[in-house]
Amino acid sequence: MSDIKFYKEKHLPLEMHKVRIVQKLNLLPIEKRLENISKAGNNTFLLRNKDVYLDMLTDSGTNAMSDRQLGAMMIADDSYAGSETFYRMEKAVQNFFGKEYFLPAHQGRACEHILAKSLVKEGDVVPMNYHFTTTKTHINLQGGRVEELYKDKAIELVSDEPFKGDMDLVKLENLINEVGAEHIPFVRIEMGTNLIGGQPVSLQNVEDVSSICKKYNIPLMIDASLITDNLYFNKVREERCKDMSIHEIALAISKCADIIYFSARKLGSAKGGGIVVDSKEYFDNMKELIPVYEGFLTYGGMSTREMEAVAIGLEEACDIDMISHGPEFIEEFGRILQEYNIPIVTPTGGLGLHINAREFVGHVKETEFQSAALASAIYIVSGARGMERGTLSEEKNPDGSEHIASCELVRLALPRRVFTLSQIRYIADRLAWLYDNRHLIGGLRFTEEPKVMRFFIGRLEPTSDWQEKLVAKFKEDFGDSL
Ligand code: F0G
């Protein structure tokens, strides 16, 4: 929690929970790590988790569950239709968002599939503060296109801008006038924005975007997958939210939106997802798609155990002690890295620590996937796996050339309540070594390149023998140490 005072310590994010169940980890020798990343085609998604020391790939479905969540799972009411568990989850969702109608789906992208299918037509344009990979793909598959209307400051990686996720209101009105409101099925705000570093959106901006949407009669959709971090930042960075409870802020945001969806792999700290609306018309239009793609309307592809856990997870999402843990640990991680002069995205956001790969490995060609090369090097030197969030995560240009991402990042996710401060210090120390030896890192090229969302399962190889050289230098400096 942010307002605890200390006597000698200057920076100490404090856990407001204790660890009662643990999982053994392995830290393999560096030669083994090199072998593993080569076998995985230099794609951290393709590593086996047993070969990973710190799994910082994502916070999706990997947050630690609370005793209350585990307890609730034991009373799940397993039935295909009319399960009591569903009604408990529905009530928790209605309470959290203050909206009446809830459609369950098995995860966030499943919601995006249903939403895109029912709302997006060929030629439509969907304005958003920033895209997310799966969201954009679903909209494109329906024949629509995405327009990102972030403020110029959003992609200045080093800044003190508290709400880089805010949408640019002038760009929004210009776009509406240019393409016509009738071609805009909805405006989407991602709270917070994943691909630019877990950066939050202010309540003020949501209200302003909502007013513009109302003026032109366009629905406002909020992707609330990462809303817990966002709510923490609203509370600590936005003056008007300082005296509001977390739930009051959530309700104020929700009031502005016509449609909300979320991945319960993040919000709710379990597994699942859902769409929330207050118009019966939307509900009726979408509900028929749920049994076709997800499962019956009272489970939507989720297991009842997970639904029970989500219901409790939503209650816990209103607790500042719970939601402050991620952002405060990330801030501390960032503070240590800055001491070592490692280029990171500032201010630190939610979800994970974001390294500026464009600067870290600026000597690697942009077309040789700087972020992916850095993610591969990080695994080799530390056993921690992060995720590439840069050019590799982009779709290529129509002419087949690389679409160079506006931000070239490596994300080291901090699933909530999972890692200790000493583990953070360990990875920070390995990053410091890697930064001092960054000239050894080289590029990557595809050996297998899928057509859609290539970052998930594509395979790459180093463009030279740089990885062997990196291992040799590591052994020179660390001897037989892991
Ligand atoms: N929206 C946002 C903002 C997300 O971060 C994600 C997932 C989704 C939608 C899709 O949800 O995974 O449940 O289907 N982000 C994960 C990540 C994959 O690692 O950042 P999902």
Side-chain angles (χ1 to χ4, degrees):
M1 267 211 359
S2 47
D3 57 355
I4 294 174
K5 306 232 171 357
F6 293 97
Y7 180 47
K8 296 210 173 187
E9 287 286 348
K10 287 209 177 58
H11 307 278
L12 199 59
L14 200 60
E15 295 85 346
M16 297 305 288
H17 55 262
K18 63 180 175 181
V19 179
R20 293 176 60 225
I21 295 179
V22 296
Q23 185 178 357
K24 169 112 178 69
L25 289 173
N26 296 313
L27 181 53
L28 301 173
I30 191 161
E31 294 84 356
K32 265 293 200 212
R33 303 200 293 255
L34 174 61
E35 200 181 307
N36 292 333
I37 199 71
S38 309
K39 267 198 221 145
N42 285 279
N43 182 345
T44 53
F45 276 100
L46 302 182
L47 286 165
R48 290 179 66 154
N49 203 32
K50 73 174 176 54
D51 298 330
V52 171
Y53 175 51
L54 301 176
D55 186 12
M56 295 181 155
L57 185 73
T58 175
D59 64 335
S60 174
T62 54
N63 293 318
M65 286 212 210
S66 69
D67 48 358
R68 289 187 59 222
Q69 285 183 293
L70 290 173
M73 290 172 100
M74 300 312 290
I75 55 155
D77 176 25
D78 266 323
S79 88
Y80 188 92
S83 151
E84 272 312 297
T85 292
F86 171 75
Y87 295 107
R88 279 194 281 272
M89 176 169 174
E90 182 184 53
K91 200 162 157 221
V93 172
Q94 286 167 334
N95 182 52
F96 186 81
F97 289 112
K99 294 202 183 294
E100 189 174 346
Y101 297 104
F102 168 55
L103 291 162
H106 79 274
Q107 64 183 92
R109 70 201 71 185
C111 303
E112 290 168 345
H113 175 217
I114 303 288
L115 289 163
K117 230 179 166 60
S118 63
L119 299 171
V120 179
K121 300 182 307 298
E122 183 81 35
D124 277 354
V125 179
V126 180
M128 49 183 75
N129 50 347
Y130 210 82
H131 82 280
F132 184 67
T133 50
T134 54
T135 327
K136 187 173 175 180
T137 304
H138 280 297
I139 290 167
N140 290 345
L141 287 172
Q142 289 303 119
R145 77 180 158 87
V146 163
E147 280 287 341
E148 289 173 326
L149 307 178
Y150 51 83
K151 293 189 174 167
D152 298 340
K153 283 185 170 171
I155 53 169
E156 275 173 22
L157 298 187
V158 178
S159 104
D160 49 14
E161 174 67 35
F163 292 104
K164 287 190 194 171
D166 281 0
M167 188 177 279
D168 189 312
L169 305 173
V170 176
K171 287 185 191 164
L172 176 60
E173 278 215 83
N174 287 347
L175 182 75
I176 297 171
N177 290 324
E178 189 191 310
V179 302
E182 65 282 12
H183 298 298
I184 301 183
F186 54 86
V187 171
R188 171 179 174 275
I189 298 183
E190 187 174 298
M191 290 190 85
T193 43
N194 188 326
L195 298 187
I196 55 169
Q199 298 292 323
V201 181
S202 63
L203 169 59
Q204 189 59 49
N205 189 252
V206 178
E207 288 180 353
D208 293 343
V209 171
S210 164
S211 304
I212 296 177
C213 287
K214 286 204 171 73
K215 179 169 150 196
Y216 293 95
N217 208 12
I218 302 171
L220 174 61
M221 176 188 292
I222 290 182
D223 176 348
S225 304
L226 289 168
I227 202 168
T228 53
D229 298 333
N230 205 105
L231 290 168
Y232 167 81
F233 290 121
N234 293 124
K235 174 94 181 159
V236 300
R237 292 184 188 171
E238 197 169 0
E239 196 51 45
R240 58 181 288 201
C241 295
K242 287 222 155 59
D243 295 323
M244 293 167 80
S245 72
I246 295 298
H247 194 205
E248 281 166 353
I249 306 170
L251 291 174
I253 290 167
S254 174
K255 212 171 88 191
C256 298
D258 301 283
I259 303 163
I260 297 182
Y261 74 94
F262 64 99
S263 165
R265 300 176 65 85
K266 296 174 185 263
L267 171 61
S269 290
K271 315 234 164 29
I275 301 169
V276 201
V277 290
D278 34 26
S279 133
K280 179 139 178 15
E281 200 187 322
Y282 280 132
F283 178 79
D284 287 340
N285 284 343
M286 286 186 278
K287 75 176 179 200
E288 289 176 16
L289 296 177
I290 301 289
V292 179
Y293 294 106
E294 297 301 301
F296 190 63
L297 280 175
T298 56
Y299 74 94
M302 283 178 277
S303 89
T304 49
R305 288 188 171 215
E306 297 290 345
M307 290 161 76
E308 291 284 0
V310 174
I312 300 294
L314 286 170
E315 276 176 31
E316 293 180 352
C318 297
D319 176 0
I320 185 84
D321 282 346
M322 152 66 188
I323 67 171
S324 60
H325 177 258
E328 289 184 359
F329 259 58
I330 293 164
E331 190 183 348
E332 175 69 5
F333 190 3
R335 193 189 61 72
I336 303 170
L337 294 188
Q338 280 181 304
E339 269 177 18
Y340 303 146
N341 297 318
I342 297 174
I344 61 165
V345 175
T346 60
T348 50
L351 152 73
L353 189 284
H354 292 77
I355 300 176
N356 178 357
R358 185 161 285 148
E359 203 170 303
F360 199 118
V361 286
H363 59 280
V364 174
K365 280 190 208 151
E366 283 189 321
T367 50
E368 292 186 3
F369 308 113
Q370 295 169 328
S371 309
L374 180 56
S376 169
I378 290 173
Y379 174 74
I380 294 171
V381 303
S382 70
R385 72 162 151 181
M387 189 189 287
E388 188 277 353
R389 297 275 71 162
T391 299
L392 194 85
S393 295
E394 296 283 340
E395 305 283 324
K396 275 185 166 167
N397 293 322
D399 68 2
S401 62
E402 286 298 343
H403 176 82
I404 303 298
S406 47
C407 301
E408 197 68 65
L409 307 176
V410 172
R411 176 180 91 184
L412 295 168
L414 259 66
R416 292 153 194 90
R417 301 182 290 205
V418 171
F419 296 124
T420 62
L421 213 49
S422 38
Q423 289 168 329
I424 303 287
R425 297 190 101 92
Y426 161 79
I427 171 75
D429 185 77
R430 284 288 186 264
L431 286 168
W433 181 85
L434 190 60
Y435 190 60
D436 287 345
N437 291 280
R438 61 190 180 278
H439 61 280
L440 293 172
I441 303 172
L444 297 174
R445 63 177 159 243
F446 269 105
T447 54
E448 273 177 55
E449 185 175 356
K451 287 199 178 58
V452 182
M453 291 200 283
R454 57 189 183 165
F455 62 93
F456 275 131
I457 52 173
R459 306 181 74 85
L460 302 100
E461 66 182 8
T463 51
S464 69
D465 63 351
W466 65 266
Q467 296 183 328
E468 282 74 17
K469 289 191 172 130
L470 191 68
V471 171
K473 180 70 171 44
F474 182 95
K475 290 193 72 87
E476 201 181 304
D477 290 355
F478 292 100
D480 282 339
S481 164
L482 297 173

